[in-house]
Amino acid sequence: MAREESEETPASAELRALMVMASHDLKNPLASVTAHVDMIRADYADVLDERFARDLAAIERGLGRMTRLTQDLLDYAKADHTLDITSVSLSGMVADVIADHVLTGADPPEIVVGETLPDVPADAGLLRHVLDNLVGNAVKYARRATTSRIEISAHPQIDGSVLVEVADSGIGIPAADRSKIFDPFHRCANSAGYPGTGLGLAICKRIVERHGGRIGVDQNPGGGSRFWFTVPDIDKP
């Protein structure tokens, strides 16, 4: 089932189209430069002096930031495509997201999943993006030198919607940042040293709101953050 697009002004539609075009056009040259940097490192690893190796590492970090920003801009623009609403197994999707992050992480977190995760009406690809971002952030912003704990749960509400929560024991969000955490390009005062573009949560907010839901964050008792969002029942007004 496709959900109708919300009305969009010509100016915002043009800007969104520009974001998509620019992001696509940037991907190929970025991939080419990254590949050549990799070849330089592989071919000259034995002869690189310390200064050259340091400069090459700085180039790689810059390329990494540009690549993440390009993908985030593309995701932000794509968040407005027509929704394809189907019945999504929240349990299966959460299991897939967890498997991705546990397999790629160097220090796997302790992840606890609620006993019952219901099916929800949503665009599967976009809902996956939201969960992947929230779980990924919980893993990324874990307190260093400690075992991180992530709790994922879902609770049916009286209005037929489902409240999904991702709680962590990480570094948390300063109170002054909580009202701005979903703004595009906003980064918290305590996020220095952690990679990111400041677009991930803005994309999540846009996706959730396009489904007619709400998203927010609270302080997690005992430390960390508790992100939550709702998935409405599409049969309810």
Side-chain angles (χ1 to χ4, degrees), residues 101-102 105 107 109 111 134-142 148 150 168:
H101 287 283
V102 168
D107 187 13
I111 300 180
L134 296 183
V135 173
N137 280 351
V139 173
K140 179 170 67 174
Y141 292 106
S148 60
I150 302 169
D168 64 64

Side-chain angles (χ1 to χ4, degrees), residues 69-108:
L69 179 57
T70 299
Q71 185 59 52
D72 282 351
L73 285 171
L74 185 59
D75 290 339
Y76 189 78
K78 285 183 174 180
D80 271 353
H81 76 63
T82 300
L83 301 184
D84 183 15
I85 303 296
T86 60
S87 179
V88 177
S89 168
L90 200 54
S91 178
M93 184 172 287
V94 165
D96 286 344
V97 169
I98 290 173
D100 284 349
H101 287 283
V102 168
L103 289 174
T104 57
D107 187 13

Side-chain angles (χ1 to χ4, degrees), residues 7-21:
E7 290 187 9
E8 186 174 35
T9 66
S12 59
E14 183 177 354
L15 177 60
R16 202 167 299 281
L18 178 63
M19 288 170 63
V20 172
M21 181 178 65

Side-chain angles (χ1 to χ4, degrees), residues 18-220:
L18 178 63
M19 288 170 63
V20 172
M21 181 178 65
S23 299
H24 273 298
D25 288 349
L26 283 169
K27 276 190 165 185
N28 285 339
L30 279 172
S32 177
V33 174
T34 300
H36 279 80
V37 170
D38 289 342
M39 285 189 288
I40 291 173
R41 183 176 291 283
D43 292 343
Y44 299 99
D46 295 337
V47 296
L48 292 181
D49 61 27
E50 183 178 344
R51 180 177 177 181
F52 194 93
R54 186 171 63 248
D55 290 343
L56 198 61
I59 293 172
E60 289 173 324
R61 289 194 300 272
L63 284 170
R65 288 195 298 272
M66 290 177 67
T67 301
R68 289 193 297 271
L69 179 57
T70 299
Q71 185 59 52
D72 282 351
L73 285 171
L74 185 59
D75 290 339
Y76 189 78
K78 285 183 174 180
D80 271 353
H81 76 63
T82 300
L83 301 184
D84 183 15
I85 303 296
T86 60
S87 179
V88 177
S89 168
L90 200 54
S91 178
M93 184 172 287
V94 165
D96 286 344
V97 169
I98 290 173
D100 284 349
H101 287 283
V102 168
L103 289 174
T104 57
D107 187 13
E110 176 189 1
I111 300 180
V112 179
V113 181
E115 292 183 4
T116 304
L117 299 182
D119 293 352
V120 294
D123 181 300
L126 292 182
L127 181 62
R128 167 65 188 253
H129 188 100
V130 174
L131 287 169
D132 191 67
N133 191 280
L134 296 183
V135 173
N137 280 351
V139 173
K140 179 170 67 174
Y141 292 106
R143 296 179 186 275
R144 289 171 177 149
T146 63
T147 300
S148 60
R149 177 182 172 89
I150 302 169
E151 298 179 3
I152 304 171
S153 59
H155 313 280
Q157 305 295 290
I158 194 170
D159 62 357
S161 66
V162 173
L163 174 69
V164 182
E165 296 180 319
V166 179
D168 64 64
S169 59
I171 64 174
I173 297 171
D177 284 304
R178 284 184 204 133
S179 63
K180 299 174 285 187
I181 192 69
F182 296 101
D183 293 347
F185 301 110
H186 179 77
R187 301 210 70 203
C188 294
N190 62 344
S191 63
Y194 294 89
T197 63
L199 269 176
L201 291 176
I203 296 170
C204 291
K205 182 175 187 287
R206 184 58 184 152
I207 290 172
V208 170
E209 290 181 345
R210 292 227 42 235
H211 282 78
R214 297 178 298 114
I215 189 169
V217 62
D218 300 311
Q219 185 176 10
N220 194 31

